[in-house]
Amino acid sequence: MTKKNILIVEDDKDLRESWEMFFNNFGVDVHTVTNGMEAKEIINQYPLEIILTDIQMPLKDGYFVLEYAKSQRIDTKVWACSGQLFTKNVPENKYHFDKILTKPFDMLNVVEEIISITSENNANKT
Amino acid sequence: MKNSISKEHLALIIESSIDAITITNKKGEIVLWNDSCCQLFGYSSEEALGQNIDIIIPREMRDLHHKGMNNFVSSGKKKIIGQTITLDGLRKDGSTTPIELSLSSWEDDSRQMFICGIIRNISERKNNESQIIDLRGIIDSSPACLKLINQQGELLMMNSVGLDLIEAENFRMIEKANVFEIVHEDDRDSFIDFNKFICSGGKGTLIFKVVGLNGTERIMETFARGHELDSGEIAHLAISNEITERIKNEKELLRKDQKLEEAKRLTLIGEFAAGIAHEVNNPLAVIHSKAQLLELEFNKLTKEKSESFEKIINSLESIKRMTIHTSDLIKNLKTFSSKANFDNLDLVKLTDVIDMVMNISEKRCSSKGIKVAKNIDPNLKLTCSPSALAQVILNLISNSIDAIESQKEKWISIESTISNKTLKIIVTDSGGGIPKEIVNKITQPFFSTKDPGKGTGLGLSISLQSIEKMNGKFYHNSEAENTQFVLEFKSFEK
């Protein structure tokens, strides 16, 4: 199993599990956390290529994840996975989501797309 | 003669008569003036005796009186002697009073002629008569229809307002006509029952429709009670008012109320959908992803595709499809919320929008053998939300495909026309139009003629909302030979 610098931020246990299983299916291991506060830790530790984040979460939400990740490493792609309809980038904000997905979406497609755009990384290298 | 009445007695009778009695000679000088004369004309007998009878004849009548007198005296022809005539009498105070006069004349032994007038004060009777005339005036000038109908429904009386309402020129035209025949057939039975009830002494109100002699339909509200005729028969006496306008206004108001109520309800649904979207979409995402994972795992487990494997995959497919369907439903419902408005409308080329639609639907059409013809002015630009407009047209095409796919003749046409500063986008298919019974319902939310699970019943209602929010109009053209929907916009460029 290759560990990729991919982070999933999702407070729903079932969805988190789904993400992991899809990535594992392609032989890819990913980081998963349940909220923005925990995401901050991972962002500090790893040079993340892409973050998939829920919007509504306890403690710190998806907009916090976006803000913090981009401020640490502008190259990190941040995708929103929103349960709310018509989630939009806030034009006044400094950073914008690279993509906004509205739940439910075709997770298989998303996972395939992410694997194709990320490079293989040694997880231990920071 | 023994039995003859004495002069004294006669004088007494004359004095006590209720009628005024006066006697003149042929010159017209008053020789007798009884008590009732005094009361009627205001002259005492002292004042009247010896005066010419002219004192009680109104000035304008005097010439006529003199002529008549001279004629009578010279020729002996009695024009008015012996009959009763009605005329005005002049009082001492100058006022006149209606009187009834009967005259008689005789000659005494010395061949002197006398004329006796017996005068009755008929002012009271006249008054009553004029009241009757006034009543008739009132009846005729009443703004309501007044009518009298007998048990058989024959018209006995109707005022001019009533005649106007039933478009009759005069009463003679419809006298004794059967009223039941001018009552609209929908209300005829209830009117006949009502007439029976009133003619048996009841009273009440009824709303019914009449059809005038020229065919105009009017809605009437009537207040009726029984009225005893001279014959003892009870007839139906009614005051009726036309309330066509009132009913129309009430209906219009009700329609507006219902529309407003509907709009409120939809807004509520939309806001509710927005509120639960997050709570519903999260579990849907879980269901969708788990079904997908199951597919993946099953694919790994089973090398040869057995029948039960196919069944499992099909079931998982339908689970996935239904989660998308449900989330689409929530998304669509949210369009109804007051917050979902299109504030950033763009000026776009209509052909771009149509091309977007054709890209998506072309395959589906050609696979079903449906010909699509489009005739869109390439220079047309209109102010709209391109994605919402595309969605509306796509929905129409999708409905068309569902409706005509099993027909012999299969075509869909999309065209643009401009007339009266209005841009029309017309979508027609080879179908035979929307049945009359449901045409008013097609834009109601959740109304669908499709099989359960196939349609949400929201497509056209959302289309209507979307187009209205883009300041356009959206409607089904029932006058077209085929099934046709029209989108109208005022804001466009060429």
Side-chain angles (χ1 to χ4, degrees):
Chain A
M1 185 104 37
T2 46
K3 185 88 174 176
K4 284 203 174 195
N5 279 315
I6 298 170
L7 171 63
I8 310 293
V9 192
E10 171 63 66
D11 64 333
D12 188 295
K13 182 175 157 287
D14 289 311
L15 272 182
R16 222 163 45 233
E17 218 174 78
S18 288
W19 281 119
E20 273 187 311
M21 286 164 84
F22 270 111
F23 278 107
N24 290 346
N25 188 64
F26 290 95
V28 173
D29 204 6
V30 293
H31 305 278
T32 59
V33 294
T34 64
N35 62 57
M37 281 309 274
E38 290 176 17
K40 192 177 162 186
E41 302 287 311
I42 306 293
I43 293 165
N44 286 339
Q45 283 179 46
Y46 301 95
L48 297 170
E49 279 193 72
I50 186 159
I51 300 171
L52 287 155
T53 181
D54 190 8
I55 299 286
Q56 278 184 10
M57 289 179 296
L59 300 175
K60 293 285 181 185
D61 67 5
Y63 288 100
F64 169 81
V65 174
L66 169 71
E67 190 86 2
Y68 189 74
K70 293 273 186 185
S71 67
Q72 295 303 303
R73 192 177 282 108
I74 192 75
D75 293 341
T76 307
K77 291 189 170 62
V78 184
W79 290 12
C81 307
S82 174
Q84 275 307 351
L85 298 162
F86 314 120
T87 298
K88 279 180 185 156
N89 272 314
V90 184
E92 300 85 60
N93 285 358
K94 194 174 172 190
Y95 303 112
H96 296 151
F97 288 113
D98 297 287
K99 201 170 209 175
I100 294 170
L101 306 167
T102 305
K103 291 173 183 174
F105 44 80
D106 192 323
M107 202 178 265
L108 183 61
N109 269 351
V110 177
V111 168
E112 281 175 341
E113 191 182 345
I114 288 170
I115 287 171
S116 75
I117 61 168
T118 50
S119 53
E120 278 189 25
N121 252 317
N122 189 327
N124 296 326
K125 272 193 243 166
T126 44
Chain B
M1 276 191 280
K2 259 190 179 171
N3 284 338
S4 66
I5 299 163
S6 69
K7 265 190 180 174
E8 287 76 24
H9 278 138
L10 213 55
L12 203 67
I13 290 166
I14 289 169
E15 268 318 300
S16 62
S17 162
I18 293 175
D19 290 331
I21 299 173
T22 179
I23 298 173
T24 66
N25 58 22
K26 69 174 180 187
K27 285 188 229 160
E29 289 161 358
I30 297 168
V31 295
L32 185 136
W33 188 254
N34 79 346
D35 195 41
S36 287
C37 271
C38 300
Q39 282 174 25
L40 180 56
F41 295 104
Y43 295 101
S44 66
S45 55
E46 289 81 21
E47 286 171 312
L49 291 173
Q51 293 280 342
N52 195 288
I53 195 69
D54 280 0
I55 60 165
I56 62 161
I57 297 172
R59 229 162 271 282
E60 62 273 16
M61 295 289 293
R62 279 180 197 163
D63 278 352
L64 207 67
H65 168 72
H66 292 155
K67 243 188 209 165
M69 266 310 249
N70 288 338
N71 200 30
F72 170 59
V73 171
S74 57
S75 67
K77 275 185 193 155
K78 340 174 185 173
K79 207 167 188 186
I80 57 165
I81 299 290
Q83 38 178 311
T84 305
I85 54 165
T86 308
L87 70 169
D88 280 345
L90 183 65
R91 285 201 181 101
K92 188 183 173 185
D93 63 9
S95 67
T96 58
T97 179
I99 54 170
E100 200 173 66
L101 169 73
S102 59
L103 294 173
S104 54
S105 70
W106 70 91
E107 285 178 0
D108 69 358
D109 304 340
S110 55
R111 295 190 62 83
Q112 231 196 326
M113 194 171 75
F114 292 95
I115 299 165
C116 173
I118 299 178
I119 303 161
R120 183 166 291 177
N121 181 359
I122 56 163
S123 60
E124 212 159 285
R125 203 175 78 200
K126 273 273 184 194
N127 221 353
N128 285 343
E129 268 172 21
S130 68
Q131 265 176 11
I132 288 165
I133 290 161
D134 274 358
L135 211 57
R136 205 151 260 287
I138 289 165
I139 287 170
D140 266 339
S141 61
S142 155
C145 158
L146 302 174
K147 65 177 187 289
L148 193 63
I149 307 166
N150 70 8
Q151 285 175 9
Q152 289 75 44
E154 290 166 348
L155 198 57
L156 306 178
M157 184 278 283
M158 183 174 257
N159 70 347
S160 54
V161 174
L163 295 175
D164 284 348
L165 285 172
I166 63 165
E167 296 163 339
E169 272 164 37
N170 51 50
F171 183 67
R172 210 159 303 143
M173 248 173 103
I174 42 136
E175 190 173 6
K176 293 267 183 172
N178 198 301
V179 176
F180 301 155
E181 277 165 28
I182 57 164
V183 175
H184 192 278
E185 58 180 338
D186 289 353
D187 298 324
R188 198 168 293 152
D189 286 346
S190 59
F191 187 88
I192 291 171
D193 287 347
F194 181 72
N195 188 52
K196 201 188 264 175
F197 169 68
I198 299 299
C199 291
S200 62
K203 62 177 178 183
T205 66
L206 182 76
I207 291 175
F208 63 96
K209 228 191 268 175
V210 293
V211 184
L213 300 183
N214 297 336
T216 312
E217 290 186 7
R218 291 186 165 86
I219 301 169
M220 305 295 300
E221 185 179 36
T222 194
F223 304 88
R225 64 171 182 79
H227 173 78
E228 197 176 329
L229 300 175
D230 292 342
S231 63
E233 184 194 345
I234 295 175
H236 165 169
L237 181 68
I239 301 178
S240 314
N241 289 302
E242 184 181 359
I243 55 166
T244 314
E245 205 61 19
R246 200 180 87 198
I247 296 281
K248 212 176 90 189
N249 290 343
E250 279 172 4
K251 273 190 186 156
E252 181 67 12
L253 216 62
L254 194 70
R255 207 181 56 80
K256 273 189 188 155
D257 265 4
Q258 278 170 343
K259 221 178 164 190
L260 204 69
E261 227 16 75
E262 182 71 8
K264 267 195 213 157
R265 202 170 68 93
L266 289 180
T267 308
L268 215 63
I269 291 174
E271 274 155 15
F272 174 72
I276 63 160
H278 182 260
E279 307 324 308
V280 174
N281 282 338
N282 235 28
L284 285 178
V286 174
I287 295 168
H288 191 271
S289 66
K290 295 293 181 198
Q292 244 180 353
L293 277 168
L294 279 172
E295 271 181 333
L296 274 178
E297 295 304 319
F298 271 112
N299 270 316
K300 278 185 212 161
L301 269 180
T302 332
K303 289 278 172 279
E304 78 274 20
K305 313 279 186 206
S306 69
E307 201 183 309
S308 65
F309 173 82
E310 287 297 326
K311 278 183 185 163
I312 290 167
I313 296 298
N314 283 344
S315 303
L316 291 171
E317 274 300 325
S318 75
I319 291 174
K320 275 159 54 188
R321 210 170 45 241
M322 284 304 138
T323 54
I324 300 296
H325 179 86
T326 310
S327 76
D328 281 350
L329 179 74
I330 303 275
K331 207 184 290 171
N332 282 338
L333 286 176
K334 190 165 181 280
T335 334
F336 290 134
S337 90
S338 50
K339 284 166 203 134
N341 54 354
F342 306 108
D343 18 65
N344 39 357
L345 299 178
D346 299 325
L347 187 66
V348 292
K349 270 188 160 182
L350 180 57
T351 45
D352 288 350
V353 178
I354 302 294
D355 286 346
M356 189 152 82
V357 173
M358 293 320 293
N359 276 340
I360 302 168
S361 55
E362 220 152 33
K363 253 192 188 166
R364 232 188 116 197
C365 287
S366 60
S367 73
K368 311 245 177 196
I370 297 169
K371 276 184 208 159
V372 182
K374 53 175 185 157
N375 185 10
I376 306 290
D377 188 333
N379 301 318
L380 257 173
K381 284 181 176 176
L382 80 154
T383 310
C384 67
S385 156
S387 61
L389 178 60
Q391 198 64 48
V392 170
I393 299 171
L394 201 61
N395 180 256
L396 286 176
I397 290 179
S398 170
N399 283 348
S400 290
I401 294 171
D402 287 345
I404 64 172
E405 61 177 336
S406 53
Q407 285 183 352
K408 243 187 186 174
E409 199 191 342
K410 288 180 269 194
W411 53 261
I412 296 170
S413 99
I414 307 168
E415 57 179 326
S416 66
T417 64
I418 297 169
S419 61
N420 293 332
K421 293 183 179 173
T422 305
L423 161 66
K424 283 185 181 176
I425 303 169
I426 304 167
V427 181
T428 317
D429 69 41
S430 52
I434 309 275
K436 248 188 195 168
E437 311 86 74
I438 61 162
V439 78
N440 288 327
K441 294 185 188 159
I442 55 172
T443 53
Q444 281 176 13
F446 307 114
F447 178 82
S448 178
T449 56
K450 296 181 186 173
D451 291 336
K454 243 195 154 181
T456 56
L458 291 174
L460 291 177
S461 56
I462 285 168
S463 297
L464 180 67
Q465 292 266 325
S466 300
I467 299 298
E468 279 180 356
K469 278 177 181 160
M470 289 184 243
N471 308 315
K473 279 186 190 168
F474 175 79
Y475 57 89
H476 167 253
N477 179 13
S478 49
E479 267 153 42
E481 201 176 316
N482 296 95
T483 311
Q484 187 172 86
F485 282 87
V486 182
L487 285 75
E488 277 185 20
F489 296 93
K490 294 270 183 201
S491 175
F492 64 93
E493 282 177 16
K494 205 186 146 173

